[in-house]
Amino acid sequence: MQPFTLNYARPAGQLDVTAPYAYDSALQLNVLPDGRIAATDHVILLTLGTTTSTAGSKTHFDD
């Protein structure tokens, strides 16, 4: 028997956009090329809506 929710689950689509930040495992945060924390950049947040990474939980905006 298949759980009901699997009837509607879809795989995550690929983004055509490259994120302007990278995950820093030492800080456990996404950082910009200049070293600033990505979650503090308002332009990025307004443009992308989040700074989630595949390295952490997608329920947190600053993983």
Side-chain angles (χ1 to χ4, degrees):
M1 186 168 131
Q2 181 174 344
F4 175 77
T5 56
L6 292 181
N7 292 328
Y8 302 98
R10 297 182 195 165
Q14 292 291 337
L15 294 176
D16 293 334
V17 178
T18 304
Y21 50 82
Y23 183 72
D24 183 324
S25 59
L27 293 174
Q28 296 185 358
L29 293 169
N30 288 319
V31 294
L32 299 170
D34 64 4
R36 293 181 297 127
I37 297 172
T40 63
D41 190 301
H42 294 186
V43 174
I44 288 177
L45 292 177
L46 288 172
T47 304
L48 301 177
T50 184
T51 62
T52 58
S53 68
T54 56
S57 168
K58 292 197 175 194
T59 60
H60 296 92
F61 74 94
D62 63 349
D63 277 346

